[in-house]
Amino acid sequence: MNDSSRQARCAHRQRACFIDGNHIDEFRSTGYLTRMDHTPKETDSAAVKSADTPVASPDSPPPRRRRFGRWIKATLLMLFLLLFPMIIATYHDCAICGMKHTEWRMIGIGWLLSSRNRATPCSDWYRDQVEPEHEHVWVRRTSADGFDIFGWQVASWLSGRLASGQFSWLTLGVHTQQEIYQKSPDPAQARTLFLKLARFDKSSVKANQLQDQLFTRLNDWIESGLKGPWPFKEEDFRLSRSQSPFRK
């Protein structure tokens, strides 16, 4: 082989092996160098899966801890609803006839949810013997009960401060108020006496002392079994308009 043929072959090999930068980019775009210089792209399903998966923040707790925290919050909420009173029931007596009255209200708000009246032997007797109709004067008693949101009783209170008048401090039995009416010289006097004790009179020191005296004398007479004469005088029952329990 002569020198000319050898030079021709070398030139041919150089042209076949020499590929400039433009040809390499062309081969890569057409896929000829996929195995050597191309990383496989993610499939469409993998991309969708990655997009749907939430990215965890470095500050967020792990999923198991988050579920445990939700359970703790739910448990505390249930305990709050079961043990904390949401509704308060207050009990009242009519100072005139002795009828019972119960109110259910939302604690803290005071919304009246429901109320109920219950007749007593004294209220039936008063309606038949004294007044067929009258305006009830409700006096709050010294006890109250608390109920949860499901209606279960979870609390109870007993305090003289709950009373709205000294009438609630009297030790009246089932028939005691009726017997007081029957033993009084005039049922109107007994009615006025009960009205004087229906609300705490804070208008003046003298009025408060007079109210205390009436309460003490009546309560002592009740505790003695209503023995002895009627312990009051007619001037004790003068009820001024400013002291009336019907005023707002």
Side-chain angles (χ1 to χ4, degrees):
M1 182 178 299
N2 53 17
D3 295 337
S4 60
S5 60
R6 288 180 179 177
Q7 292 178 355
R9 287 185 178 182
C10 289
H12 178 72
R13 289 177 181 177
Q14 290 179 356
R15 286 194 301 269
C17 295
F18 179 78
I19 304 175
D20 58 8
N22 295 332
H23 288 85
I24 291 176
D25 293 338
E26 182 180 358
F27 281 176
R28 285 178 178 174
S29 63
T30 55
Y32 289 111
L33 299 181
T34 300
R35 293 183 180 180
M36 299 174 56
D37 194 43
H38 184 69
T39 302
K41 295 183 179 180
E42 294 180 350
T43 60
D44 295 340
S45 60
V48 173
K49 183 178 180 181
S50 176
D52 295 338
T53 304
V55 179
S57 174
D59 297 333
S60 62
R64 182 176 298 179
R65 186 179 301 176
R66 288 199 299 269
R67 289 195 298 268
F68 182 74
R70 294 192 189 102
W71 277 107
I72 292 295
K73 293 178 181 178
T75 303
L76 293 177
L77 178 61
M78 288 299 299
L79 290 175
F80 176 82
L81 295 177
L82 289 173
L83 300 179
F84 186 79
M86 304 290 293
I87 302 171
I88 184 173
T90 55
Y91 308 101
H92 310 253
D93 297 321
C94 177
I96 299 175
C97 67
M99 179 175 285
K100 306 297 181 182
H101 177 72
T102 306
E103 293 181 355
W104 290 270
R105 295 179 180 272
M106 289 291 295
I107 291 182
I109 304 177
W111 289 345
L112 179 63
L113 302 177
S114 178
S115 63
R116 182 181 63 186
N117 295 342
R118 181 169 59 87
T120 62
C122 182
S123 64
D124 294 337
W125 174 86
Y126 187 88
R127 183 185 64 249
D128 297 336
Q129 302 296 328
V130 184
E131 285 184 302
E133 295 181 359
H134 68 278
E135 182 181 358
H136 293 292
V137 180
W138 302 119
V139 183
R140 188 170 60 247
R141 290 157 61 181
T142 58
S143 61
D145 295 321
F147 299 86
D148 62 16
I149 197 171
F150 302 105
W152 296 345
Q153 183 176 346
V154 295
S156 182
W157 300 276
L158 181 62
S159 174
R161 295 183 178 181
L162 293 175
S164 57
Q166 292 173 323
F167 177 87
S168 297
W169 297 350
L170 296 172
T171 54
L172 296 176
V174 179
H175 303 284
T176 305
Q177 189 172 6
Q178 177 181 340
E179 293 176 359
I180 293 174
Y181 273 114
Q182 293 171 341
K183 290 193 175 185
S184 64
D186 184 357
Q189 291 186 9
R191 181 184 189 275
T192 306
L193 174 62
F194 293 139
L195 288 177
K196 276 181 170 291
L197 301 176
R199 299 286 185 270
F200 291 111
D201 192 349
K202 301 179 181 180
S203 59
S204 65
V205 176
K206 184 177 179 180
N208 185 261
Q209 291 177 350
L210 177 60
Q211 193 178 44
D212 290 340
Q213 292 175 5
L214 293 176
F215 168 79
T216 302
R217 287 158 61 183
L218 178 59
N219 194 56
D220 291 343
W221 191 48
I222 292 173
E223 291 182 351
S224 69
L226 302 181
K227 296 179 181 180
W230 177 248
F232 301 98
K233 300 178 181 180
E234 186 175 356
E235 56 265 20
D236 295 332
F237 306 109
R238 293 174 182 172
L239 188 64
S240 64
R241 185 173 184 181
S242 62
Q243 297 173 345
S244 174
F246 292 105
R247 62 190 176 92
K248 300 299 183 181

